[in-house]
Amino acid sequence: IGYHSYSAVKALVEKKAIAGVFITDHNVRGRRAADVKADVDALQAVRKEQGLPPLIIAADQEGGQVSRLSPPLKRQPSLAYILKTLDNDEARRAAVEAYAETQAAELKRIGVTLNFAPVVDLNLDPKNRSDGETHLRLRAIAADPYLVSKVASWYCDVFAKHGLMCTLKHFPGLGRVKRDTHRVSGEVVASEGQLELNDWVPFRRVMSKSNVATMLGHVRVAVIDKTTPASFSHTIISTLIRDTWKHDGLLITDDLSMGAVTRSKAGVGGAAVKALDAGADIVLVSYSEKHLDTVMSALIAADAKGEIDAEARGKSETRLARILKENISSD
């Protein structure tokens, strides 16, 4: 969850109510990195006393315009920017690895363990200015799925070396989406074959790495599930990703506080239930003061009615325990 009140988030940790916290601009504004780290360490100490795995400490530090923690952390350009003048893989790899080394070291200064980067959506329409807050043309690495795959792999491998997790976003890819999911739901219109050969290449090539999470976006894939966004679609999560692809890595939803979810028929509570029931591991709620009660109430009610898939949750618990043990230190 994202938060404004530290005392409120600490109370949730003490109640064993959350899996992690999302740190963003308003949590660090005007503060020293050491002071933010002290807060994080205090929360982790509570978890350690409880005998639970470390909290996931998540951040959205892509670089470029999405640099939520700068300052106090060093501001870096986007991956797309540092690559735009490089024309061979040797130079690209060196640049990406140096970039990731700096970013990983900066994130560790405040105790972050999972970064919501890199963006692996394809830059298929660089002139598109109608996607609102998404600004994909400024964030996407390239249009070539194989180049994007290599960049994401180099980046995530450096993070693994530092004991950090990275996140591929936003599945099923926003490269073909014209609308802004911060406000409304969008749709991917393409054949499954087109998606397999293009948009999904970076995901398929990198998501199996141990320290890689995949973020589920709030867009519908018309050819697979025309009515439900991927972030809580049973057909996308359970049938495609878990069953067909046999993927056993961490899946986290994009922020459920976004308009594509809050304005959906399911609502934020229903979406959370559907996402976890389908096989997602973590739901992200950045606006906890407004939406956490609704999400928690919906999950508790669904569980009480036996509407949560026990097998899916059991697999998720096992998966999370394994992934956190392998990738997130308890120090």
Side-chain angles (χ1 to χ4, degrees):
I1 66 163
Y3 66 96
H4 284 78
S5 166
Y6 181 76
S7 60
V9 79
K10 186 177 181 183
L12 289 170
V13 174
E14 290 170 343
K15 295 175 182 178
K16 308 177 184 180
I18 55 176
V21 297
F22 170 55
I23 298 176
T24 190
D25 48 6
H26 58 257
N27 303 122
V28 302
R29 192 177 297 122
R31 305 185 69 198
R32 298 185 309 145
D35 295 331
V36 179
K37 179 69 159 56
D39 284 350
V40 170
D41 287 348
L43 296 178
Q44 295 289 30
V46 174
R47 290 283 284 201
K48 195 167 186 178
E49 290 174 8
Q50 294 170 333
L52 293 174
L55 290 165
I56 296 171
I57 308 299
D60 200 6
Q61 188 77 347
E62 295 175 12
Q65 71 167 37
V66 183
S67 299
R68 310 294 188 205
L69 305 180
S70 301
L73 302 190
K74 179 180 179 179
R75 181 176 291 275
Q76 295 174 277
S78 67
L79 278 169
Y81 181 84
I82 69 165
L83 291 166
K84 68 179 184 178
T85 60
L86 304 178
D87 60 2
N88 66 83
D89 280 353
E90 184 179 359
R92 290 168 179 149
R93 181 168 187 162
V96 171
E97 289 180 344
Y99 180 98
E101 288 279 355
T102 298
Q103 194 167 79
E106 287 293 291
L107 290 170
K108 292 187 80 167
R109 288 176 59 205
I110 60 174
V112 169
T113 57
L114 170 67
N115 193 27
F116 294 149
V119 173
V120 297
D121 307 304
L122 301 185
N123 196 9
L124 299 176
D125 187 6
K127 294 182 180 180
N128 179 27
R129 294 176 178 271
S130 62
D131 62 350
E133 295 177 52
T134 304
H135 295 301
L136 193 63
R137 69 190 184 279
L138 304 177
R139 300 164 64 198
I141 294 166
D144 178 355
Y146 298 96
L147 173 57
V148 173
S149 300
K150 285 185 281 191
V151 171
S153 184
W154 297 329
Y155 175 94
C156 290
D157 284 349
V158 170
F159 267 53
K161 186 176 71 174
H162 287 274
L164 298 175
M165 296 189 67
C166 63
T167 310
L168 307 180
K169 62 185 191 184
H170 313 74
F171 188 84
L174 301 181
R176 300 175 191 273
V177 179
K178 305 297 183 185
R179 307 178 80 188
D180 178 8
T181 56
H182 294 87
R183 301 181 180 278
V184 293
S185 181
E187 184 173 74
V188 175
V189 180
S191 71
E192 193 167 347
Q194 284 178 299
L195 296 172
E196 286 276 8
L197 293 172
N198 293 280
D199 309 51
W200 293 348
V201 169
F203 294 101
R204 297 295 304 274
R205 289 194 162 209
V206 185
M207 68 196 301
S208 60
K209 291 178 181 287
S210 175
N211 74 314
V212 174
T214 300
M215 179 173 280
L216 303 166
H218 306 316
V219 294
R220 303 181 305 278
V221 182
V223 73
I224 296 177
D225 186 343
K226 194 168 180 62
T227 61
T228 309
S231 52
F232 54 100
S233 164
H234 194 278
T235 309
I236 294 289
I237 301 171
S238 180
T239 305
L240 178 67
I241 300 176
R242 294 299 189 201
D243 295 341
T244 302
W245 291 358
K246 306 297 182 188
H247 179 62
D248 198 34
L250 191 150
L251 297 179
I252 182 169
T253 70
D254 203 347
D255 180 16
L256 296 187
S257 295
M258 291 165 64
V261 176
T262 60
R263 297 178 182 180
S264 70
K265 184 177 180 181
V268 65
V273 172
K274 289 176 181 291
L276 295 178
D277 206 36
D281 301 295
I282 303 286
V283 294
L284 172 62
V285 183
S286 74
Y287 201 164
S288 61
E289 289 83 357
K290 188 173 183 179
H291 296 129
L292 184 61
D293 284 351
T294 301
V295 169
M296 284 289 193
S297 297
L299 291 171
I300 291 168
D303 186 50
K305 295 175 184 176
E307 295 174 353
I308 299 291
D309 187 321
E311 182 180 0
R313 298 318 311 147
K315 288 180 179 178
S316 182
E317 288 175 13
T318 301
R319 184 184 306 118
L320 275 168
R322 168 179 56 80
I323 291 170
L324 297 183
K325 183 177 181 181
E326 290 176 354
N327 297 287
I328 296 183
S329 168
S330 58
D331 295 336

